[in-house]
Amino acid sequence: MTVLKRLIAVAALALPMVASAEEVGQVSTVFKFVGPNDRIVVEAFDDPKVEGVTCYLSRAKTGGLKGGLGLAEDRAEASIACRQVGPINFKGELKDGEEVFKERTSLVFKTMQVVRFLDKKRNTLVYLVYSDRLIEGSPQNAVTAIPIVPWAQ
């Protein structure tokens, strides 16, 4: 194995576990003559470290020529709703503020991410979605919480 292949393998193992989203649906919000329309997309992803939890994210995606080419910057607003969809099992130690989902929302400098907190006092998982940018982030955010309760069989 070459040195480059070994470095790539080590780097892949060092990356944090981050979920990938699948699109559930979308609606068009602004008609564009050239390229795709502006739209709101609803995506679902499972928490990679908490079995039995699925999060639903809705957010704006910019269309038009720039959006179609992947050059547009999407808006910072997003909404999140996480739900218990089965028995909750932890796949390792949870860290407060741990990133569970991240997606680029502009060509280079802007990302949207979801982080998880464990509220031990209330036995609840809390998920926060926000957008950040290399120079200036956005205070716009959304939060959802899931009480950890036994799953009815």
Side-chain angles (χ1 to χ4, degrees):
M1 184 182 285
T2 68
V3 175
L4 179 61
K5 286 182 182 178
R6 286 183 187 171
L7 287 173
I8 291 171
V10 169
L13 292 174
L15 291 174
M17 279 173 57
V18 177
S20 61
E22 65 181 77
E23 187 175 306
V24 174
Q26 62 176 287
V27 295
S28 178
T29 59
V30 176
F31 174 76
K32 298 288 185 175
F33 284 105
V34 179
N37 292 342
D38 289 355
R39 60 202 185 283
I40 297 172
V41 177
V42 177
E43 299 168 310
F45 65 89
D46 298 325
D47 186 323
K49 277 194 168 179
V50 184
E51 188 177 298
V53 170
T54 298
C55 293
Y56 297 90
L57 197 60
S58 71
R59 60 197 181 95
K61 287 221 175 183
T62 305
L65 188 57
K66 282 186 177 180
L69 296 173
L71 302 175
E73 183 172 306
D74 293 333
R75 298 177 59 109
E77 298 93 353
S79 177
I80 188 167
C82 297
R83 299 294 182 258
Q84 182 176 0
V85 295
I88 291 181
N89 294 308
F90 299 107
K91 300 178 186 176
E93 184 180 338
L94 302 184
K95 298 174 192 159
D96 271 347
E98 185 172 16
E99 185 179 281
V100 295
F101 177 81
K102 186 174 188 172
E103 188 165 297
R104 181 181 57 82
T105 53
S106 74
L107 185 58
V108 179
F109 301 112
K110 188 174 177 185
T111 61
M112 185 199 50
Q113 48 204 333
V114 176
V115 295
R116 175 195 342 96
F117 298 92
L118 176 60
D119 181 352
K120 291 180 184 176
K121 180 178 178 183
R122 293 165 191 83
N123 200 34
T124 301
L125 292 165
V126 180
Y127 293 84
L128 170 70
V129 60
Y130 68 100
S131 181
D132 66 358
R133 192 183 313 191
L134 186 62
I135 303 297
E136 180 182 331
S138 170
Q140 296 178 4
N141 64 81
V143 68
T144 186
I146 302 173
I148 302 170
V149 295
W151 185 252
Q153 296 297 332

